[in-house]
Amino acid sequence: MTKEMTAAGLHPAASMYAEELKAGKLSRREFLSRTTALGVSAVAAYGLMGMSAPARAQDAKIGGVIRCAMEVKGTKDPRLADWPQISNIYRGWLEYLIQYNADGTFEGRLLESWEANADATQYTLKVRQGVTWNNGEPFTADDVVRNFARWTDGNVEGNAMASRFPGLVDEATKTIREGAVVKVDDTTVQLNLSASDVAVVPNLADYPAAVVHSSFVDGEDPATNPIGTGPYVPQEVSVGQKAVLVRAPNHTWWGGTAPLDEIHYIDFGTDPSTMVSLAGSDEIDCNYETVGDFIEQLDALGWKKLEVVTAATIVVRMNSASSELYKDKAVRQAIQLAVDPKVVLELGYSNLGTTAENHHACPVHPEYAALPPQVIDPSKLKPALEAAGMADAELEVISLDDGWEAATTAAVVAQLKDAGANVKHTVMPGSTFWNDWQKYPFSSTTWNHRPLAVQNMSLAYTSTGSWNETGMANADFDAAMVKALSLAEADARREQMVTLQTILQDEGYIIQPYWRSLFAHVKEGFNVERHPSNEHQHYKWSVA
Amino acid sequence: MLMFVVRRLGLMILTALALTFIVFFLTNLRPNLEKLARTEGSVRMSEEAVDQWIIQNGHGGSVFVRYGEWMGLMPGWVLTDEKGTVRGRCITATNTPETAPRYCGVLQGDWGFSTFFKKPVLDSLGEKLAATGWLMLAVMLVMVPASLLIGVLSGMREGSRTDRALSTFSIASTATPEYVSGVILVALLASPVVGLSPLLASWGWIEGKTLFLGTATSAIDDITFWNFTLPVMTIALYGIGYIARMTRASMTEVMTAQYIRTARLKGVSFGAVVVKHALRNALIAPFTVIMLQFPWLLNGVVIVETLFNYKGFGWTLVQAAGNNDINLLLGCSVVAVFVVLVTQLISDVGYVFLNPRIRLS
């Protein structure tokens, strides 16, 4: 590790977490996630746990090539990138200020450290020293300021970063606000936000937030003039075919020596069955993702299974805004508690995940609060429906027509039927399903992994949330969310999370049965890592 | 003869014009442009951003004017965006707005830029056609001798046991479309889990886990027996049956002709009759069919290249259509017209040499 532990730099909450960890109130993963989000380095965090950080790339053998099956999409201006696959190629030479690690921690890469003030309106970023671009120029605070200006430019069509930093943007010009990002000195940059924002750190770690050089022409393909700080450069990017990353010539990477000599991405199309025949014929060493039945088939070929639990999930939810049937809270609660998440996970997703608790906060989220377990009781559904005068009402559950989404919804429907409800399952093709996904009375929706629980919850369950699909409008929930979103300290936020999770569970709108695990496979003798956001952090890869 | 060739070339240009305009019109329909904007810009773009993208990238205005720009009959579009950068059809990384030519279309030798491959259409089409060329060559080398042999063998003695057996084979193979035979071949020979490969591997007859490779992606760099057999067999099987049936029909007809009977009565051996007297006449019809196979192969490769992930012309066509890559699709159309009409020209000219009774013009 290149980072040093400095007692002075530790956030006051960090030692508090350490106490909680010792008392057994926190898991190691939660502890790491929370403390590092506060700006405590991973080494320091492990130190607080009384452990040393896990052995890293330095111990790995230098040299070797890994061939990975992944769709090779054309590289484009990082802030426009709309697929993780795109970023995995430019990750070779473009790096990030902050990195989201597979264990849930945040780690400074081009930043040495960062600090937030008490209400998350001001962030102080310390720029890492000794980083150079592969053309020899040093990486400085000016580069950081310039990239923030790029990210916040809302006039660029499709800029994925523009909406991430509302507190830095001048609403009139849709560009960076005067004085929002200030270079304090050569190594320090200060962010002055107009409102509290806890998502700054995860947003800086997301895949469109790659840091580009001053010579980068906005909107151009970064592979044409690959100036970056990372250890590799692209030798070839042939869309739909192949991308090859090789060591950057005459460049001393600040992180030392990345183990691999080359990384080859080969595009074999999107048919998952191809993966099996490729693995069988030794065309690849690892793949981007393994899905469904193919997980077992690749296991059977003797490949190593890589699994990561994520906060990606499916929500089977009722909507009180578009249907009279679900206005009664008692009915919703009875429906929610008639469905056993364990059964749904098994039938709908072949046990390829972990059960959830109907409140859309996952243990991998730093601010997750453990609630007392719910009591599943299908026998209460029928009386509840009768009490509401809905004994004969037909409940229609809508889902996609195929895949695990359909299977999961079918498992929910079957349990409701067993509990005595008059329920029907309607399937729709993807082309029509997504047109009205927010308005269906009762339907299933897939949700992606986001590093913080409040990110999904504020989008989906506040009364003004842009992706609110339940019609839930709970003033207490909204108020608690406003508070939670102003607390950079994950600990204080967790107190609000208890309220948020309890209300969401109690409102009974959602049946959120499980968290999906993501899988990939790798051949014996190769070390790669499965990341919850599908990131390929190449410097961690090696050949044994 | 010359007039005939000239007329054919004229027809080719007319067809190319008509086809490219149809393709241009269809790819420039509003929903297709929106899709292009979303793949090129970002899937998260708002409606207004999409509208702006379409105009800013020269897809606004009349479809005829833009077709003219592509042809090189109209000056290329030039626009200044909100940041004051001048962009235009003819402005590339290597020239400036001042030095850029006014016209840059097919007539000037500029086939445009492929939005999917991120490089000029001509460069990408060239290498893809070369890849498909190798595939077609391999298919022809397998298909033509095999089908002629089967056709001649079954046609020389109509109704014999050989004829029945070979006819059954050719009808079965030609009745199986490529997307069926390809999948069956992969399952049977190239899967490490099902079919023959695990069996052979457990007996120790093959070294790897599969007998053949189920994808031909690596054949782009290096064609081997292992990675190229299945795609070649998939296309060839269909053609073999078809050409064999044609050859058989032609052969049986020739074998009943008067001059064959005369030769036999003269005491010429059966073998000599077949090789010296019957074969040349019997091959006239299959020759046309074989030449017709080229344009059909160009279609056949669409399915097979997609199935086996061989990055050639057919795969390019699928990607170009799937991503609404206007310039690339237009390039593909011109190539297709060219291949169809040139092979037809060769077949017509060749016919004259095979059959002295036919005269062109």
Side-chain angles (χ1 to χ4, degrees):
Chain A
M1 283 300 282
T2 44
K3 227 180 264 184
E4 284 166 40
M5 181 173 159
T6 48
L10 284 187
H11 198 281
S15 33
M16 204 157 65
Y17 287 141
E19 291 304 315
E20 288 183 29
L21 176 74
K22 275 180 204 139
K25 285 194 224 157
L26 275 180
S27 76
R28 270 173 53 201
R29 185 177 194 146
E30 286 165 50
F31 172 78
L32 284 172
S33 207
R34 280 179 202 174
T35 47
T36 54
L38 293 174
V40 178
S41 80
V43 166
Y46 276 101
L48 282 170
M49 286 198 294
M51 298 167 67
S52 54
R56 288 271 305 280
Q58 274 86 342
D59 309 328
K61 200 186 86 181
I62 306 290
V65 176
I66 284 188
R67 300 163 301 166
C68 184
M70 181 182 85
E71 273 181 280
V72 179
K73 293 171 180 285
T75 43
K76 54 172 141 180
D77 187 340
R79 61 184 171 170
L80 302 182
D82 39 13
W83 294 93
Q85 289 97 320
I86 298 174
S87 74
N88 283 342
I89 294 172
Y90 63 59
R91 244 169 230 287
W93 64 100
L94 298 179
E95 294 186 291
Y96 293 77
L97 293 180
I98 296 170
Q99 173 174 284
Y100 184 49
N101 286 326
D103 60 2
T105 59
F106 289 98
E107 175 188 340
R109 298 299 291 170
L110 296 179
L111 293 184
E112 194 136 327
S113 63
W114 64 91
E115 242 174 78
N117 67 351
D119 62 350
T121 53
Q122 193 178 63
Y123 286 78
T124 310
L125 314 179
K126 284 278 174 202
V127 178
R128 184 176 294 280
Q129 295 302 290
V131 177
T132 54
W133 298 93
N134 58 21
N135 65 356
E137 291 173 23
F139 174 78
T140 64
D142 295 318
D143 289 310
V144 177
V145 174
R146 198 190 59 252
N147 273 282
F148 267 103
R150 260 173 51 78
W151 292 328
T152 48
D153 190 347
N155 295 316
V156 175
E157 297 117 43
N159 184 351
M161 294 302 293
S163 57
R164 309 286 184 100
F165 302 112
L168 297 176
V169 174
D170 185 332
E171 276 178 31
T173 60
K174 290 211 278 178
T175 50
I176 196 156
R177 184 168 46 81
E178 192 66 35
V181 179
V182 182
K183 177 184 163 185
V184 178
D185 57 52
D186 283 346
T187 61
T188 317
V189 174
Q190 200 172 55
L191 308 183
N192 300 309
L193 287 85
S194 54
S196 310
D197 187 359
V198 292
V200 167
V201 169
N203 281 334
L204 285 176
D206 203 10
Y207 67 83
V211 174
V212 295
H213 184 248
S214 56
S215 68
F216 180 78
V217 184
D218 288 344
E220 286 295 307
D221 179 355
T224 47
N225 183 23
I227 298 180
T229 52
Y232 299 100
V233 285
Q235 185 186 56
E236 177 193 352
V237 180
S238 305
V239 182
Q241 299 177 75
K242 198 178 183 187
V244 178
L245 298 173
V246 296
R247 273 186 204 287
N250 311 319
H251 173 53
T252 316
W253 182 48
W254 61 270
T257 309
L260 290 179
D261 288 334
E262 289 180 19
I263 297 128
H264 294 198
Y265 283 111
I266 311 169
D267 191 328
F268 289 99
T270 49
D271 181 1
S273 65
T274 316
M275 227 42 79
V276 180
S277 80
L278 287 170
S281 54
D282 195 26
E283 288 283 290
I284 51 170
D285 305 315
C286 69
N287 66 351
Y288 178 77
E289 177 161 31
T290 320
V291 292
D293 299 340
F294 300 101
I295 296 170
E296 267 179 41
Q297 295 191 17
L298 279 171
D299 287 350
L301 285 174
W303 276 40
K304 203 159 59 185
K305 178 166 75 183
L306 305 172
E307 176 179 359
V308 62
V309 178
T310 74
T313 185
I314 185 167
V315 174
V316 189
R317 91 291 178 287
M318 290 153 257
N319 188 332
S320 62
S322 63
S323 171
E324 292 299 315
L325 291 174
Y326 310 110
K327 288 230 188 291
D328 187 346
K329 184 164 151 186
V331 170
R332 295 195 303 259
Q333 285 173 332
I335 291 177
Q336 184 192 60
L337 292 176
V339 177
D340 184 354
K342 274 204 274 313
V343 177
V344 182
L345 176 60
E346 189 187 340
L347 296 180
Y349 205 58
S350 316
N351 274 332
L352 300 172
T354 47
T355 50
E357 302 153 89
N358 295 326
H359 56 48
H360 214 149
C362 178
V364 301
H365 289 135
E367 68 268 60
Y368 168 83
L371 296 188
Q374 284 185 301
V375 183
I376 304 298
D377 191 355
S379 65
K380 291 202 179 118
L381 177 60
K382 203 147 185 176
L385 289 174
E386 275 160 6
M390 283 170 58
D392 297 319
E394 185 181 64
L395 313 177
E396 184 190 28
V397 190
I398 299 169
S399 79
L400 281 171
D401 59 350
D402 200 14
W404 57 275
E405 292 96 334
T408 300
T409 314
V412 170
V413 168
Q415 291 194 60
L416 292 178
K417 199 172 270 174
D418 289 348
N422 176 13
V423 57
K424 177 175 106 175
H425 184 189
T426 304
V427 294
M428 286 187 188
S431 49
T432 52
F433 178 83
W434 294 111
N435 293 343
D436 286 317
W437 66 277
Q438 279 180 305
K439 299 195 188 96
Y440 301 123
F442 199 169
S443 69
S444 60
T445 311
T446 50
W447 287 84
N448 285 336
H449 171 85
R450 284 186 171 76
L452 306 182
V454 286
Q455 290 176 298
N456 273 337
M457 284 177 131
S458 59
L459 269 176
Y461 307 111
T462 55
S463 57
T464 52
S466 53
W467 287 354
N468 187 326
E469 51 170 353
T470 56
M472 176 168 143
N474 185 312
D476 295 340
F477 186 88
D478 289 357
M481 183 56 80
V482 170
K483 270 188 220 147
L485 287 175
S486 69
L487 298 167
E489 278 184 36
D491 177 54
R493 199 158 76 231
R494 187 157 150 248
E495 280 166 25
Q496 297 301 322
M497 284 302 288
V498 177
T499 319
L500 290 168
Q501 288 170 222
T502 312
I503 295 175
L504 183 54
Q505 204 178 44
D506 182 61
E507 282 279 351
Y509 278 103
I510 61 170
I511 299 165
Q512 191 242 324
Y514 57 79
W515 303 107
R516 296 165 61 198
S517 287
L518 293 179
F519 298 88
H521 280 80
V522 63
K523 206 159 67 179
E524 281 300 333
F526 294 85
N527 303 316
V528 304
E529 181 194 54
R530 188 71 175 96
H531 190 278
S533 314
N534 295 312
E535 293 179 11
H536 286 178
Q537 294 161 1
H538 301 123
Y539 70 93
K540 294 180 179 169
W541 292 11
S542 64
V543 178
Chain B
M1 179 71 131
L2 190 68
M3 268 313 290
F4 175 78
V5 173
V6 170
R7 246 188 291 143
R8 268 304 168 91
L9 286 176
L11 183 68
M12 189 170 97
I13 290 169
L14 268 181
T15 319
L17 272 178
L19 184 69
T20 50
F21 183 73
I22 294 171
V23 172
F24 193 85
F25 183 77
L26 290 178
T27 48
N28 276 278
L29 290 175
R30 180 71 198 184
N32 285 334
L33 288 179
E34 281 174 14
K35 191 173 139 197
L36 181 67
R38 286 191 195 280
T39 41
E40 283 308 296
S42 166
V43 284
R44 288 179 287 253
M45 281 204 288
S46 62
E47 291 296 324
E48 301 84 61
V50 167
D51 290 343
Q52 216 188 350
W53 189 95
I54 289 174
I55 295 167
Q56 282 292 337
N57 286 277
H59 298 295
S62 152
V63 70
F64 295 100
V65 172
R66 277 177 288 137
Y67 183 68
E69 287 176 14
W70 178 77
M71 282 294 300
L73 296 170
M74 302 288 254
W77 57 269
V78 177
L79 286 169
T80 311
D81 65 14
E82 73 273 3
K83 287 213 187 68
T85 329
V86 182
R87 295 189 296 171
R89 183 184 168 83
C90 308
I91 301 167
T92 59
T94 50
N95 61 23
T96 61
E98 289 76 37
T99 60
R102 238 164 84 73
Y103 296 90
C104 51
V106 175
L107 292 178
Q108 285 81 26
D110 185 344
W111 288 67
F113 193 81
S114 159
T115 52
F116 176 69
F117 286 122
K118 314 269 182 227
K119 52 180 171 178
V121 168
L122 218 50
D123 296 0
S124 29
L125 265 188
E127 64 188 61
K128 302 295 170 229
L129 274 173
T132 296
W134 284 112
L135 181 62
M136 281 189 170
L137 180 72
V139 169
M140 283 295 173
L141 286 179
V142 174
M143 184 171 74
V144 173
S147 57
L148 291 183
L149 190 70
I150 294 175
V152 169
L153 283 178
S154 59
M156 64 190 189
R157 281 212 185 88
E158 198 186 0
S160 66
R161 206 171 283 176
T162 329
D163 179 27
R164 293 273 176 255
L166 290 175
S167 292
T168 310
F169 166 77
S170 32
I171 290 171
S173 80
T174 198
T176 317
E178 284 136 340
Y179 49 87
V180 175
S181 54
V183 172
I184 293 176
L185 284 175
V186 169
L188 205 61
L189 303 173
S191 163
V193 201
V194 293
L196 292 179
S197 299
L199 212 61
L200 292 176
S202 68
W203 290 342
W205 287 14
I206 49 173
E207 272 184 31
K209 285 190 173 120
T210 59
L211 186 58
F212 291 113
L213 189 52
T215 69
T217 310
S218 51
I220 290 286
D221 301 322
D222 178 28
I223 295 176
T224 63
F225 193 64
W226 191 51
N227 62 26
F228 221 41
T229 305
L230 289 188
V232 169
M233 285 312 293
T234 306
I235 308 182
L237 266 183
Y238 179 79
I240 285 176
Y242 184 62
I243 301 175
R245 291 298 292 166
M246 289 293 169
T247 317
R248 179 188 171 275
S250 166
M251 190 72 188
T252 51
E253 197 190 317
V254 171
M255 289 303 280
T256 56
Q258 299 288 346
Y259 67 92
I260 296 292
R261 193 183 303 162
T262 315
R264 281 295 275 158
L265 291 174
K266 222 167 61 178
V268 183
S269 74
F270 184 72
V273 167
V274 170
V275 175
K276 285 191 184 149
H277 301 268
L279 211 51
R280 187 178 165 190
N281 288 316
L283 286 186
I284 296 172
F287 175 74
T288 327
V289 174
I290 290 168
M291 290 317 289
L292 268 173
Q293 294 295 310
F294 279 101
W296 165 81
L297 269 183
L298 222 45
N299 293 326
V301 293
V302 172
I303 293 166
V304 169
E305 284 184 2
T306 307
L307 189 65
F308 289 97
N309 253 296
Y310 184 68
K311 314 286 160 82
F313 180 78
W315 176 83
T316 305
L317 195 59
V318 172
Q319 298 302 329
N323 293 284
N324 203 49
D325 187 339
I326 299 170
N327 288 328
L328 191 59
L329 264 179
L330 290 169
C332 288
S333 326
V334 175
V335 168
V337 171
F338 183 79
V339 171
V340 172
L341 293 175
V342 164
T343 48
Q344 285 323 286
L345 191 68
I346 297 175
S347 118
D348 287 342
V349 173
Y351 210 68
V352 181
F353 289 102
L354 279 174
N355 190 347
R357 283 174 299 187
I358 306 272
R359 246 180 213 119
L360 297 175
S361 77

